[in-house]
Amino acid sequence: MLRKGLLDIFETALNRRTVFTTGVNFREVTDRKEMLKSLPVADEGTAGEKSIDVDSLIQGRGDRFPNSQIDSKRFDGVLFKDLPIINIRVSPNNTIINLTNAKGLPEIIRSCGIEGFKNTRKGTNVAAQATAITIGTKIIERGTKTARVRVQGMGPGRMSAIKGLQMAGINIVSITDNTRVSWYPPRPRKQRKL
Amino acid sequence: MRHASFIARTVFVQNNDVEAACRILNRILGREEIFDQFRRTRFYEKPYQYRRRVNFEKCKALYNEDMQRKIEFILRKNRVDPFPGSL
């Protein structure tokens, strides 16, 4: 009975909903700025940033994040701190991947530009994936199979570079974000005029 | 302060599921507003833009708080009249 009463109220409210149609006529989308404003924000290659996905986090909570035993943890018989590092430097216009040893000395470097992609094509996810696959196979030829990954910056190549490394057959132990973020940075460059 | 490398902002890959690890990392960084700050500091934010953004955020926080209170009131289960206002 009570539920029915509530439903009735909802229904009448729905039928009487006021829809304003005059505002549409006043909108001006003649300008380029206006057009850009109405467009959806471009995806910058950070999948999962806005999604809410609680179950997977709770499920594997125990071992997801490093704890105090991190230094004694072994992966493929090698201590975590002695594993080689694959650095991925992502920017909107390019993706640079390099392999360093555990101390940080660089060994191989490869970028979308070296790979043969030029100009705007460098800054695509396809280019990043291709680069990651080539450097991944090279790393495996050198005899390294297990590595930890450190990502810096944001851009279209962020996810696809990691995926490419996995496709090349590298056993990725951990993913670290090393994006440089400051709350009190020196004054950045002026805004672009669109 | 500099955080310890490979301890801060690090997620282990489990069962070779790289995408899940990335998603967790990105979600945490997104929720902690680290990505927002990164995007904001690519270009100089003029004082008027800063004021506008801060005012907008204030208004949004107020609205969200009130809306949350309303939703909690409506969804509250332990009450004498379970559907106030209805017949």
Side-chain angles (χ1 to χ4, degrees):
Chain A
M1 181 69 196
L2 283 166
R3 277 204 173 273
K4 197 157 188 279
L6 191 70
L7 276 178
D8 282 346
I9 288 168
F10 268 134
E11 262 193 334
T12 46
L14 278 177
N15 292 336
R16 278 182 204 161
R17 195 169 63 183
T18 45
V19 179
F20 299 102
T21 49
T22 43
V24 181
N25 301 334
F26 292 114
R27 232 177 89 198
E28 286 173 27
V29 199
T30 49
D31 202 3
R32 189 181 143 80
K33 257 185 203 169
E34 279 290 321
M35 190 198 75
L36 285 170
K37 219 184 271 177
S38 67
L39 284 173
V41 186
D43 180 42
E44 295 198 49
T46 47
E49 188 194 336
K50 299 225 164 85
S51 70
I52 302 156
D53 172 18
V54 186
D55 291 355
S56 64
L57 191 62
I58 293 168
Q59 204 184 19
R61 183 128 206 157
D63 271 347
R64 273 281 181 222
F65 305 110
N67 49 21
S68 54
Q69 279 95 50
I70 181 79
D71 278 346
S72 58
K73 219 170 176 184
R74 280 175 190 275
F75 295 91
D76 274 3
V78 187
L79 286 172
F80 181 72
K81 59 175 181 180
D82 294 333
L83 281 171
I85 308 164
I86 298 171
N87 294 291
I88 304 173
R89 178 91 177 83
V90 190
S91 71
N93 293 327
N94 205 354
T95 306
I96 304 165
I97 306 174
N98 81 336
L99 172 79
T100 69
N101 63 9
K103 280 177 188 159
L105 290 172
E107 284 171 8
I108 317 175
I109 187 165
R110 193 91 186 158
S111 75
C112 293
I114 302 172
E115 189 70 17
F117 295 93
K118 288 292 165 199
N119 305 331
T120 15
R121 273 179 227 121
K122 280 192 308 186
T124 57
N125 48 4
V126 181
Q129 192 161 336
T131 313
I133 289 172
T134 17
I135 196 170
T137 43
K138 266 190 182 178
I139 290 167
I140 284 181
E141 277 169 22
R142 285 170 63 98
T144 314
K145 260 215 108 185
T146 318
R148 40 191 176 164
V149 168
R150 180 154 65 180
V151 196
Q152 196 181 102
M154 273 187 339
R158 195 178 154 101
M159 281 297 288
S160 43
I162 299 171
K163 223 182 285 172
L165 286 175
Q166 197 198 17
M167 279 161 76
I170 287 174
N171 180 18
I172 299 170
V173 163
S174 71
I175 298 166
T176 304
D177 178 82
N178 205 31
T179 310
R180 295 183 78 84
V181 185
S182 169
W183 264 257
Y184 304 100
R187 184 175 170 142
R189 63 185 296 176
K190 76 172 180 189
Q191 272 182 352
R192 291 170 70 182
K193 280 180 187 158
L194 292 173
Chain B
M1 197 191 107
R2 242 183 110 85
H3 292 279
S5 198
F6 291 105
I7 290 177
R9 295 197 238 165
T10 300
V11 176
F12 283 122
V13 178
Q14 288 180 334
N15 309 323
N16 219 4
D17 193 357
V18 173
E19 279 202 31
C22 280
R23 242 183 292 127
I24 287 171
L25 185 67
N26 289 342
R27 190 172 60 237
I28 291 170
L29 293 173
R31 201 176 283 173
E32 303 276 327
E33 296 188 353
I34 288 171
F35 282 155
D36 290 342
Q37 179 65 17
F38 178 79
R39 286 192 192 114
R40 213 177 288 138
T41 50
R42 289 310 89 196
F43 298 104
Y44 179 66
E45 192 179 30
K46 285 187 178 167
Y48 87 92
Q49 288 168 324
Y50 174 78
R51 280 197 304 273
R52 276 187 62 157
R53 177 171 61 77
V54 169
N55 284 339
F56 178 78
E57 281 168 6
K58 274 182 193 166
C59 291
K60 202 176 169 189
L62 279 176
Y63 176 86
N64 284 345
E65 197 189 332
D66 280 357
M67 189 50 81
Q68 192 57 39
R69 206 172 286 149
K70 268 187 184 176
I71 290 168
E72 267 168 22
F73 176 69
I74 295 293
L75 292 177
R76 164 176 80 116
K77 279 170 194 149
N78 186 13
R79 55 192 167 190
V80 184
D81 183 6
F83 297 101
S86 67
L87 295 169

